[in-house]
Amino acid sequence: MRYIPNTGQIFESMLKEVGFQSTEELFSTQIPKPAQFKGELALPLGASELELRNYFKNLADKNFSNPQKNFCGAGIYFHYVPSIVDNLSSRSEYLTCYTPYQAEISQGTLRHIFEFQTYLSSLTKMEVANASLYDGSTAFAEAVLMAKRIYPQRKNVLISKALHPEYKKVAITSTNQFGLEFLEINTLSSGKTDLRALSTALDNDTLAVCLQSPNFFGVVEDLSELSKILKPINLPPLSVVVIAEAMSLALYEPPGSFDVDIVCGETQSFGNYPGFGGPGVGFFTTKEKYVRNMPGRVVGQTLDGQGKIAFCLTLATREQHIRREKATSNICTNQGWCALRSTIYLSTMGSTGLREAAEICYSNAHYAAEKLCGVRNIKLAFAGDFFNEFVIEISDLNNRFQNALNKGIVPGIPLSRFGANPNQLLVTTTELHTKQNLDDLVESLGE
Amino acid sequence: MHYPDGLLYTKDHEWTKVEENGLATVGITDHAQESLGEIVYTELPEIGKELKSHSTFGVVESIKAVSDLYSPVEGTVTKVNLDLLNSPSTINSSPYQDGWMIEVKLANKESLKTLMNAEQYKKYVDGLK
Amino acid sequence: MALIKEEGTLFEIENPQKQAVKLPPISVPFKRPTQFRESALGLPQVSEIDVIRHYTRLSNLNYNIDTGLYPLGSCTMKYNPKINDEIAALDGFKNTHPFQPALLSKGALEVLARLQELLAELTGLPYVCLQPAAGAHGEFTGVKVIRAFLTKNGNPRKKMLIPDTAHGTNPATSALCQYEVVRVPNGPNGYLEVSDVEKLMDENTAGIMITNPNTLGLFEKNIVEVCKVIHSKGGLVYCDGANFNAIMGWSKPGEVGVDVMHLNLHKTFSTPHGGGGPGAGPIAVNAQLEPFLPIPRILKKNHETVLSYNAPHSIGSVRLAYGNFLVLLRALVYTLTMGRDGLKQASSAAVLNANYILHHLKNYYYLPFGKTCMHECVFTDKKQNESGVKTIEIAKRLMDYGFHPPTIYFPLVVPGAMMIEPTETEPKHELDRFIEAMKSISIEAKEKPALVQNSPHTVFVKRVDEVSAAKKPVLRDGKKNIF
């Protein structure tokens, strides 16, 4: 039997040794009759590796999986994954190990988590980062929950209309038992959030204001303006900036430079494949003064008994396994292995490599946008600056989208998928795309 | 284990020392600091905070446990031992002297009636073991 | 084993001349960005071999399943099959985008639909949601579903019954969902007594969160009656599926009265722990709770698998897209590898292995409950306390014998607990090795306690100062200060 070494004779003799005549006896003495399942599971018999390889290859082949011809984004991105990321992360010492509760025999894991925290802290220019959370959407939900802990009496959350609709849905699902009110702030024609409207909507009952940058429409928000609005307020709401496309951190001044309270989001772009949406890597950073309010795990640097530098999980008393019902959240895990891939990725790309990749994304996106606007009946939906995603408006989007698919190209994501304008298409380009790929994209959306 | 006379004790292991002038000092007992292990962090209330008997006035944290701090008395916080924010382990080394946590202006003496004296508290702690 | 030396940081060996990647030259005209980041990125500048050496050396500091047994109770650290990883690396899965047209993702959707079917069959709860990214996330989703159901029926209620033996995530989840935790003690035999539950259950209690088998390694003998009591007052039963490895093919939670449960795919279904994630915590529910499941639903319509957003009573979404797909895929590969015969045999061997350990150690360590156990057994340090040796020290001493310690000081109802779960993938000779080590340690505890008390002796770092780490947390590398 697969993966069960104690079978046949070995199993039988062990059974006798512990005093049972049969497996049935082992179970029936512990499971009372009414709780016993007596039938046979309606599952096929166990399959061999060869059969499974065929079965799954068949399924894999039914999926369109050509990143060069795929221009989808919206929170999940196709980026270059250096070969050493797969190679190093596939080591069993990283893949099969347990959570590093026993520090003495988990220094490898603790070290790479510490590096992840360091990198995210630097990239966002925020004082503290945690060991990662499930994904960007749940990281955002955790940010709202943290703001609620800090301002337990308040109930309003101001959230930009340009914040990822699925992130917003997850945040609402995760917090509606607290009776929070999510008030949407509209966008301007530039595609940026109307910060003047945000300023007007602020009151003593606001616990957080939330923006995403670049936002869901790809447009870069004005974070310095946001901090100017919040600065003069006494006991201001927490400012939360969401980063869905982590690559953008390489090009734009980070939110930490604008006195933002929480920066959270997704680092799948760093070293992880889209994988049909998961697993991802949520990240969470905040100010030092809020460190004991921060959800999730953290790794701290310390010394061992011989004065050697060592690492351990710390501030664990806020977590569920000790605090139980008073815990800061119920989270029991980070996304250790995916965060490791991001860490190896960042170590490999280095500052220059990451910036170079970001610049290619930017140039590719602007080239594609310019060329697309040269096509009849296609125009840019928003005037604001964008990084690697932008929205175009096409009068007969359905037809043109279908044409592109017929040509073997997925030209982007129709915003109707997210309940928005049915004539709008969100197009994403990355450093994977060549000029040829981009020209093909433009051609595929031609009339 | 040391439980000084002259102090009053709660079931949650806080002590309080009542002065003549209607002020009371509050901290945690020797038993509490020993169970927690080395204290690494403490959160104390702001001056002016109103406390009811048994309401939480803060948190004390070691690496293996976190405990809420429950007020033995009813009143308003007048002083907070800010030294503990930098040296929380003072609570371990001197739970009744330098490890005092807050000073409270008593609103009334009602709650004191429910507290234990040193002998009763010692009996209570021995019973827990 | 490689010579383990101290490994510095990449910052210590960086140099602006070094580069570990080469990107293709830009193929379109370079467009100068209108804004520019002035703050340093703070990433190291090293060569590829530097990265390879660094992470290879660090990996040598990690214990892992491929090295040896993890006797961690309630974690089900079973072997992670390599075919699962091979399939998860197929281009057709890893390079598929969740928001590309569904017609272009038929294979991926089929994976999800098939896994749902199999998990429904195993649990006896027909409706499955694969979105939750971890067990605790699944609990949260499940309790939200309960709350939505009760709200629709007029009253969300205020309390939740939680046994003292529950995992810490259970009360944390309840509190997060605005339920006040009411603790239920376990009976004298280690499992819940119906009368204790009856006393506490009322019309203002949403239900109970049980783990079955419980964290003492015992099947909840009164589970059918307990579920009836809860249902009689209009409440619901949540089952924490962390210990599902003990009962596959032997008992179906849906049949004993459970209304909703979560599964831990990184436990029972062999997906790798990865040093702390990613996992997956899908939930399975019965018909009355189906309308409240998160969207999108993955449904079979005319032999096609479709995404459905049409669920007016759904609680919403708990995660972007459909869940941790590449983890779910691994679990599907595993389930099909094992099949109906393999899964039942896995539970049988898991329970036998745990009893084998119990049988051989019961004269050396104090056994607080029962003479038999399910897939895990719980001992305490009571005997060793006589010579001043504690559980934490026994755990650390095990490292000197080359083992990862068991779960310690949990469940909370057993002082000095050591919870041991070998799983079915451990061969007899490994169990014997572990048993011998535990026997030796108990003898050491009697004859030379100081040896045990001062362990571990042979590991790379010893006595990590967790107190200082908590007092003044240092959470990022100070060498590269970009502030």
Side-chain angles (χ1 to χ4, degrees):
Chain A
M1 196 104 330
R2 288 295 268 154
Y3 319 130
I4 305 176
N6 299 337
T7 49
Q9 281 288 9
I10 309 173
F11 186 91
E12 295 302 321
S13 73
M14 284 171 71
L15 200 55
K16 302 273 184 320
E17 208 176 325
V18 301
F20 287 97
Q21 297 313 307
S22 66
T23 320
E24 264 63 37
E25 199 193 337
L26 178 62
F27 279 86
S28 61
T29 47
Q30 301 193 71
I31 304 181
K33 254 203 158 61
Q36 289 173 15
F37 170 66
K38 280 295 180 198
E40 207 176 48
L41 291 169
L43 261 57
L45 288 170
S48 67
E49 284 196 352
L50 287 174
E51 290 164 288
L52 291 176
R53 277 186 180 151
N54 285 337
Y55 173 71
F56 282 102
K57 183 76 175 47
N58 217 297
L59 288 181
D61 286 345
K62 287 193 189 153
N63 300 324
F64 178 85
S65 54
N66 189 343
Q68 313 285 142
K69 302 202 185 226
N70 198 325
F71 298 88
C72 292
I76 301 284
Y77 301 94
F78 289 99
H79 283 289
Y80 162 53
V81 179
S83 59
I84 64 175
V85 173
D86 278 337
N87 175 281
L88 287 166
S89 63
S90 66
R91 298 181 70 90
S92 350
E93 294 92 334
Y94 287 131
L95 185 58
T96 70
C97 62
Y98 183 61
T99 312
Y101 289 123
Q102 298 291 349
E104 293 91 338
I105 49 182
S106 321
Q107 288 294 300
T109 300
L110 292 164
R111 285 286 296 269
H112 75 68
I113 296 177
F114 188 76
E115 290 178 0
F116 180 82
Q117 288 168 192
T118 303
Y119 292 161
L120 265 303
S121 169
S122 297
L123 287 171
T124 56
K125 207 166 176 188
M126 298 292 286
E127 288 162 343
V128 292
N130 75 8
S132 74
L133 296 170
Y134 307 138
D135 76 336
S137 69
T138 49
F140 175 56
E142 289 291 338
V144 175
L145 285 170
M146 176 168 144
K148 177 76 178 149
R149 282 194 293 277
I150 291 171
Y151 288 123
Q153 309 306 327
R154 303 189 187 183
K155 66 174 191 359
N156 290 342
V157 179
L158 296 185
I159 176 169
S160 162
K161 189 154 185 236
L163 200 140
H164 199 306
E166 298 224 341
Y167 279 41
K168 179 178 164 200
K169 213 185 330 181
V170 171
I172 290 176
T173 306
S174 308
T175 60
N176 56 16
Q177 66 274 19
F178 294 109
L180 298 186
E181 296 267 348
F182 283 77
L183 302 158
E184 244 182 20
I185 305 291
N186 262 319
T187 46
L188 304 164
S189 62
S190 61
K192 294 193 207 186
T193 305
D194 185 350
L195 291 177
R196 210 175 296 176
L198 184 143
S199 177
T200 318
L202 276 169
D203 61 19
N204 294 338
D205 217 7
T206 311
L207 55 94
V209 305
C210 314
L211 293 185
Q212 175 182 331
S213 187
N215 66 30
F216 180 69
F217 305 119
V219 173
V220 180
E221 297 278 8
D222 193 342
L223 297 180
S224 69
E225 192 56 41
L226 176 70
S227 76
K228 279 198 200 112
I229 292 173
L230 295 175
K231 210 174 170 73
I233 300 178
N234 182 30
L235 293 181
L238 277 122
S239 50
V240 178
V241 171
V242 172
I243 309 274
E245 168 54 298
M247 184 67 87
S248 66
L249 288 167
L251 213 60
Y252 294 93
E253 194 56 33
S257 296
F258 304 106
D259 202 33
V260 172
D261 294 303
I262 299 174
V263 182
C264 61
E266 176 68 53
T267 73
Q268 173 265 321
S269 290
F270 296 153
N272 286 280
Y273 297 103
F276 203 55
V281 198
F283 78 86
F284 196 102
T285 63
T286 187
K287 293 179 172 168
E288 183 112 36
K289 65 179 181 180
Y290 295 129
V291 74
R292 284 183 148 83
N293 267 310
M294 190 168 67
R297 296 200 172 114
V298 280
V299 170
Q301 182 177 314
T302 181
L303 300 172
D304 81 340
Q306 298 162 312
K308 254 201 293 227
I309 289 182
F311 297 83
C312 64
L313 289 175
T314 190
L315 300 183
T317 48
R318 305 155 304 122
E319 290 183 65
Q320 51 75 28
H321 61 284
I322 292 179
R323 204 82 163 94
R324 294 173 75 93
E325 57 259 40
K326 298 241 174 84
T328 46
S329 83
N330 75 338
I331 286 180
C332 195
T333 189
N334 55 331
Q335 295 280 100
W337 188 73
C338 299
L340 167 67
R341 292 179 62 100
S342 290
T343 305
I344 296 174
Y345 172 85
L346 291 170
S347 295
T348 307
M349 296 295 274
S351 298
T352 49
L354 197 70
R355 171 151 277 163
E356 200 183 324
E359 284 172 354
I360 299 176
C361 289
Y362 186 88
S363 292
N364 277 354
H366 284 79
Y367 173 81
E370 210 176 289
K371 283 264 157 7
L372 282 166
C373 290
V375 178
R376 238 162 47 100
N377 289 327
I378 295 186
K379 64 177 168 82
L380 216 54
F382 304 108
D385 185 31
F386 55 90
F387 171 54
N388 67 345
E389 286 186 286
F390 54 92
V391 179
I392 51 175
E393 229 159 70
I394 309 182
S395 46
D396 58 336
L397 176 56
N398 281 340
N399 287 337
R400 304 236 218 156
F401 188 79
Q402 194 53 54
N403 285 346
L405 293 185
N406 294 340
K407 292 188 178 143
I409 292 178
V410 182
I413 306 172
L415 287 189
S416 54
R417 194 189 200 289
F418 297 101
N421 191 322
N423 285 334
Q424 289 182 341
L425 183 73
L426 179 66
V427 181
T428 309
T429 69
T430 71
E431 74 283 11
L432 291 185
H433 298 119
T434 62
K435 182 172 176 298
Q436 184 63 59
N437 298 143
L438 301 172
D439 290 338
D440 288 344
L441 164 71
V442 175
E443 199 259 336
S444 77
L445 286 173
E447 283 183 311
Chain B
M1 275 304 112
H2 179 50
Y3 310 121
D5 291 319
L7 301 184
L8 294 172
Y9 300 82
T10 71
K11 285 211 167 89
D12 299 302
H13 313 292
E14 287 90 11
W15 58 262
T16 182
K17 181 167 194 224
V18 183
E19 307 290 350
E20 292 296 312
N21 49 12
L23 294 172
T25 324
V26 178
I28 62 172
T29 69
D30 205 9
H31 171 82
Q33 69 79 15
E34 221 234 11
S35 320
L36 285 165
E38 186 169 347
I39 294 170
V40 299
Y41 180 74
T42 176
E43 226 167 66
L44 296 172
E46 302 221 319
I47 293 178
K49 182 163 166 108
E50 308 260 329
L51 299 174
K52 288 224 149 43
S53 179
H54 201 72
S55 64
T56 51
F57 69 87
V59 166
V60 74
E61 198 181 299
S62 68
I63 57 163
K64 57 171 173 153
V66 169
S67 260
D68 285 318
L69 299 165
Y70 299 100
S71 177
V73 297
E74 189 164 328
T76 317
V77 178
T78 47
K79 273 211 198 108
V80 172
N81 185 356
L82 296 171
D83 287 340
L84 296 183
L85 300 178
N86 281 328
S87 316
S89 51
T90 310
I91 301 171
N92 297 103
S93 52
S94 177
Y96 302 109
Q97 309 276 16
D98 298 331
W100 69 273
M101 293 180 163
I102 56 173
E103 188 194 75
V104 179
K105 183 164 175 65
L106 294 176
N108 57 59
K109 298 236 169 119
E110 289 307 305
S111 53
L112 300 176
K113 297 187 186 143
T114 59
L115 304 178
M116 297 178 265
N117 63 28
E119 202 185 305
Q120 292 167 323
Y121 179 66
K122 179 175 185 316
K123 233 195 205 143
Y124 167 66
V125 169
D126 287 342
L128 292 174
K129 295 202 177 133
Chain C
M1 173 67 122
L3 301 168
I4 297 182
K5 299 252 150 189
E6 274 195 58
E7 174 65 13
T9 69
L10 287 172
F11 294 123
E12 288 163 19
I13 55 171
E14 66 170 340
N15 187 300
Q17 300 297 314
K18 292 187 181 181
Q19 229 178 328
V21 285
K22 182 185 163 76
L23 290 167
I26 188 167
S27 57
V28 301
F30 176 75
K31 173 104 180 180
R32 170 165 290 284
T34 50
Q35 301 175 50
F36 225 75
R37 177 180 172 133
E38 294 196 354
S39 306
L41 290 176
L43 302 175
Q45 206 59 38
V46 294
S47 302
E48 180 165 318
I49 191 158
D50 295 329
V51 180
I52 289 277
R53 290 252 167 86
H54 179 68
Y55 290 103
T56 303
R57 288 188 195 135
L58 286 185
S59 77
N60 289 332
L61 300 172
N62 270 2
Y63 189 91
N64 64 92
I65 275 276
D66 287 4
T67 309
L69 153 71
Y70 271 98
L72 284 165
S74 270
C75 291
T76 314
M77 291 294 287
K78 62 171 76 177
Y79 171 69
N80 307 145
K82 308 314 175 196
I83 181 97
N84 301 353
D85 300 321
E86 181 187 295
I87 296 196
L90 289 176
D91 226 37
F93 291 127
K94 72 187 195 214
N95 275 323
T96 307
H97 195 284
F99 302 139
Q100 68 194 32
L103 263 88
L104 298 179
S105 313
K106 284 189 181 178
L109 290 171
E110 177 63 27
V111 166
L112 297 176
R114 189 80 179 105
L115 182 62
Q116 284 181 173
E117 271 168 30
L118 300 177
L119 297 181
E121 173 57 22
L122 283 166
T123 58
L125 292 164
Y127 304 101
V128 176
C129 170
L130 301 172
Q131 251 187 32
H137 204 203
E139 284 175 38
F140 176 71
T141 310
V143 176
K144 286 284 287 185
V145 163
I146 288 176
R147 193 182 174 89
F149 171 84
L150 293 171
T151 306
K152 179 143 193 301
N153 285 355
N155 175 17
R157 306 193 179 193
K158 286 201 164 34
K159 300 180 276 180
M160 183 70 80
L161 301 185
I162 298 191
D164 279 341
T165 51
H167 292 107
T169 49
N170 293 175
T173 300
S174 294
L176 204 54
C177 293
Q178 297 280 75
Y179 284 117
E180 183 194 317
V181 171
V182 176
R183 295 166 52 172
V184 188
N186 50 286
N189 294 315
Y191 43 82
L192 293 172
E193 295 293 341
V194 186
S195 52
D196 287 328
V197 177
E198 235 165 1
K199 247 182 273 175
L200 296 167
M201 182 60 194
D202 60 23
E203 255 120 36
N204 215 1
T205 303
I208 189 169
M209 290 181 84
I210 51 160
T211 306
N212 188 29
N214 66 26
T215 59
L216 293 168
L218 307 171
F219 192 90
E220 286 287 352
K221 291 227 155 87
N222 297 315
I223 184 145
V224 174
E225 288 74 36
V226 166
C227 290
K228 285 201 178 111
V229 166
I230 301 291
H231 290 150
S232 71
K233 292 266 155 62
L236 295 159
V237 179
Y238 182 96
C239 180
D240 179 328
N243 291 336
F244 194 60
N245 204 45
I247 57 172
M248 291 188 289
W250 292 97
S251 179
K252 283 194 183 183
E255 287 182 356
V256 305
V258 167
D259 298 293
V260 46
M261 74 178 290
H262 81 267
L263 294 166
N264 299 71
L265 300 191
H266 46 291
K267 296 186 180 184
T268 318
F269 294 86
S270 86
T271 72
H273 268 75
I283 60 169
V285 306
N286 55 21
Q288 63 182 350
L289 294 179
E290 193 219 347
F292 305 95
L293 285 177
I295 45 169
R297 301 287 310 283
I298 305 204
L299 304 171
K300 273 251 145 84
K301 277 200 164 86
N302 305 325
H303 303 291
E304 284 283 317
T305 308
V306 297
L307 292 168
S308 167
Y309 289 86
N310 181 18
H313 299 294
S314 163
I315 60 170
S317 297
V318 296
R319 199 200 174 283
L320 187 84
Y322 323 115
N324 281 354
F325 179 78
L326 294 176
V327 176
L328 300 168
L329 175 59
R330 286 179 170 86
L332 178 62
V333 180
Y334 174 76
T335 310
L336 292 174
T337 300
M338 302 301 280
R340 66 173 182 265
D341 47 338
L343 291 172
K344 187 167 178 183
Q345 189 58 28
S347 287
S348 308
V351 172
L352 178 60
N353 279 359
N355 277 284
Y356 185 77
I357 290 181
L358 184 156
H359 176 79
H360 285 287
L361 289 181
K362 64 180 188 245
N363 293 328
Y364 293 80
Y365 292 90
Y366 181 70
L367 196 62
F369 290 105
K371 298 199 188 69
T372 36
C373 59
M374 293 294 283
H375 65 308
E376 62 194 5
C377 54
V378 179
F379 290 100
T380 79
D381 56 358
K382 189 161 170 190
K383 288 193 177 152
Q384 288 68 31
N385 278 345
E386 289 163 22
S387 42
V389 172
K390 302 193 284 238
T391 290
I392 177 91
E393 292 151 359
I394 298 167
K396 299 293 182 189
R397 182 67 181 141
L398 258 176
M399 291 182 196
D400 290 329
Y401 281 85
F403 290 102
H404 189 283
T407 303
I408 53 176
Y409 298 109
F410 183 79
L412 301 172
V413 296
V414 176
M418 280 176 279
M419 195 188 346
I420 297 170
E421 178 188 356
T423 84
E424 74 281 6
T425 61
E426 289 305 320
K428 181 171 176 297
H429 49 83
E430 279 296 294
L431 299 178
D432 288 333
R433 227 167 49 88
F434 176 74
I435 288 164
E436 282 317 303
M438 288 292 282
K439 282 183 181 172
S440 297
I441 296 172
S442 81
I443 293 169
E444 285 170 1
K446 223 188 304 186
E447 297 177 0
K448 22 185 179 169
L451 178 66
V452 183
Q453 286 161 333
N454 294 324
S455 45
H457 302 279
T458 57
V459 292
F460 183 61
V461 297
K462 301 179 185 137
R463 306 260 136 187
V464 177
D465 186 355
E466 297 183 358
V467 170
S468 300
K471 260 195 195 159
K472 290 251 178 290
V474 173
L475 307 180
R476 65 167 190 273
D477 192 326
K479 290 197 192 85
K480 190 78 165 193
N481 202 339
I482 74 149
F483 291 89

